[in-house]
């Protein structure tokens, strides 16, 4: 492949990418597409970037019509969000149904909407009225989907922060906060009945930031390390994310819902932080997200130690740095991409050379592709004629894919 000129290579990679895209639905990674920013590229360009990291699933925090339209006919699975401010309205089934008809139905089936998360980390706020609206809102959204005959294709769930756990270490001792159990149990029962996964936002970064002297960096960054053995289960853990996921499985088991699949609705690492934010830097972000995506795409690591045969379902946080997020500097620097569409840092692999069994050997998998010959490799498409935009987006995605390697 090295001997070919740039264009045939781009086209062959387009083919490879397409093959990999369809052949690896099981080995997949999702990505969060947040938009708390005033400088982000168009949704069409975002689609190209989503594909360029090899993501087959995207999680939105709303149901932005421009975004839903952009993902039409891409095959990318879309999870939409109903923010906490919607809960009191959505517990009314009539209003839930009206919302779905107006905001989701017009984009189906071209846009593959597969899930709605109702409320984001609601239980962490200790807000009794918000908490009491959570299950009713989830139920009426599900009922509305049922009435519209969409319940088979769209599941209803909610996201939790890891702070719903009282105990997370060792993983086998994982337990929910005791005060949350009475409200969690009926939610879990609803999810078990309707077949939706338990979503957790898990950030080993927070554990490291809180305790940089004690938490081994290699253990949180998926780097080679001796790991830890859970004294009660005897299971060996070589990374903190798996320990956190298994702590959630233990907590679910103790409430009688150990069979609910746990999906990681957010995880990531900031590439920049304030002086007091230990570990928030480019090098660590590159290791965390690069290793995470490689692992999710590799068939050798299927599940966690306590659920070795359950697929990991991970949504990386996030697609873009979001300049209008409040809080410490790290909050605005979780993106894999800068607002101009260039990578925030190289991830250490490209899609075509990612360890991925579906990529055939003739592609030169394992042989790092060369960077494009142009100066930066990034093709600005903001001024491209609209007819060519989609095609160009694909090419840009591939070129960025090449850049990610270096
Ligand atoms: C919510 O309540 C729990 C248990 O009482 C407490 O540990 C936690 O800090 C509270 N969280 C907030 C955000 O107030
Ligand atoms: C592809 O390459 C891998 C490792 O380099 C090798 O084990 C495998 O047999 C090859 N597969 C084919 C179809 O050549």
């Amino acid at each position: 492949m090295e001997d070919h000129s740039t264009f045939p290579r781009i086209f062959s990679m387009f083919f490879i990418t397409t093959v990999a895209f369809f052949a690896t639905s099981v080995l997949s990674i999702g990505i969060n597409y947040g938009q708390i920013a005033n400088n982000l590229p168009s949704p069409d360009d975002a689609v190209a970037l989503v594909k360029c990291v090899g993501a087959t699933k995207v999680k939105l925090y709303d149901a932005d019509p421009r975004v839903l339209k952009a993902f039409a006919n891409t095959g990318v699975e879309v999870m939409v969000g109903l923010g906490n401010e919607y809960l009191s309205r959505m517990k009314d089934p009539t209003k839930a149904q009206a919302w779905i008809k107006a905001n989701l139905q017009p984009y189906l089936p071209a846009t593959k909407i597969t899930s709605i998360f109702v409320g984001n980390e609601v239980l962490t706020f200790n807000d009794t009225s918000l908490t009491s609206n959570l299950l009713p809102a989830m139920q009426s959204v599900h009922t509305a989907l049922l009435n519209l005959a969409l319940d088979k294709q769209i599941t209803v769930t909610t996201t939790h922060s890891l702070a719903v756990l009282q105990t997370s270490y060792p993983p086998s001792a994982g337990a929910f906060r005791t005060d949350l159990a009475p409200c969690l149990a009926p939610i879990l029962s609803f999810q078990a009945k309707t077949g939706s996964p338990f979503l957790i936002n898990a950030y080993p970064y927070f554990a490291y930031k809180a305790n940089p002297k004690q938490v081994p960096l290699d253990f949180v960054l998926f780097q080679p390390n001796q790991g830890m053995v859970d004294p009660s289960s005897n299971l060996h853990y070589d990374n903190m994310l798996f320990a956190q996921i298994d702590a959630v499985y233990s907590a679910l088991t103790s409430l009688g819902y150990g069979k609910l699949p746990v999906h990681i609705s957010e995880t990531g690492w900031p590439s920049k932080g304030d002086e007091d934010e230990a570990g928030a830097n480019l090098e660590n972000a590159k290791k965390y997200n690069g290793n995470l995506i490689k692992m999710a795409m590799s068939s050798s690591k299927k599940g966690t130690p306590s659920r070795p045969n359950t697929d990991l379902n991970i949504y990386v946080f996030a697609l873009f740095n979001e300049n209008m997020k409040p809080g410490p500097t790290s909050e605005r620097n979780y993106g894999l991409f800068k607002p101009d569409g260039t990578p925030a840092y190289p991830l250490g692999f490209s899609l075509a050379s990612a360890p991925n069994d579906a990529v055939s050997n003739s592609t030169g998998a394992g042989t790092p592709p060369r960077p494009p010959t142009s100066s930066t490799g990034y093709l600005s498409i903001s001024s491209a004629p609209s007819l060519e935009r989609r095609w160009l987006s694909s090419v840009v995605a591939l070129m960025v894919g090449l850049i990610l390697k270096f």
Side-chain angles (χ1 to χ4, degrees), residues 82 86-92 96 118-119 132-143 156 190:
L82 271 167
Y86 281 88
L87 294 192
S88 61
R89 229 198 305 161
M90 287 302 130
K91 70 181 180 191
D92 176 346
V118 179
S132 65
N133 285 339
L134 180 56
L135 179 58
M138 291 171 78
Q139 282 169 322
S140 69
V141 169
H142 177 71
T143 303
V156 177
F190 162 81

Side-chain angles (χ1 to χ4, degrees), residues 130-308:
L130 207 55
T131 297
S132 65
N133 285 339
L134 180 56
L135 179 58
M138 291 171 78
Q139 282 169 322
S140 69
V141 169
H142 177 71
T143 303
L145 290 168
L146 196 80
N147 292 340
L148 298 167
L150 294 171
D151 60 303
K152 297 282 186 295
Q153 64 194 81
I154 304 179
T155 59
V156 177
T157 183
T158 185
T159 68
H160 300 285
S161 92
L162 211 57
V164 296
L165 295 187
Q166 182 136 336
T167 311
S168 61
Y169 186 88
S172 61
F176 289 113
R177 262 170 48 192
T178 44
D179 62 307
L180 293 180
C183 117
L184 262 169
I187 292 174
L188 300 177
S189 165
F190 162 81
Q191 292 194 248
K193 267 188 224 135
T194 57
S196 78
F198 185 85
L199 302 190
I200 189 93
N201 298 337
Y203 288 89
Y205 164 66
F206 292 146
Y208 180 76
K209 176 181 161 176
N211 224 337
K213 294 226 165 67
Q214 258 111 59
V215 176
L217 192 55
D218 286 342
F219 184 64
V220 290
L221 295 178
F222 308 101
Q223 293 289 103
N225 71 101
Q226 63 185 53
M228 49 102 32
V229 172
D230 185 315
S232 152
S233 65
N234 272 324
L235 292 172
H236 180 258
Y237 288 85
D238 62 9
N239 72 77
M240 185 180 278
L241 183 67
F242 281 10
Q244 292 180 336
I245 298 171
D246 279 356
V248 174
Y249 275 120
S250 299
L252 288 169
T253 302
S254 68
L255 289 185
Y257 294 95
K259 289 211 171 100
L260 266 191
V262 173
H263 293 184
I264 309 306
S265 37
E266 289 181 11
T267 191
W269 197 283
S271 60
K272 200 172 162 189
D274 294 319
E275 241 163 65
D276 63 350
E277 298 192 275
N281 60 48
L282 274 177
E283 195 52 34
N284 291 343
K286 171 183 165 164
K287 282 182 184 157
Y288 187 86
N289 288 318
N291 288 338
L292 176 76
I293 296 172
K294 261 185 258 178
M295 184 181 73
M297 299 296 219
S298 124
S299 58
S300 57
K301 271 230 162 121
K302 196 164 152 61
T304 61
S306 87
R307 295 291 188 284

Side-chain angles (χ1 to χ4, degrees), residues 124-126 177 179:
T124 317
F125 296 107
N126 300 338
R177 262 170 48 192
D179 62 307

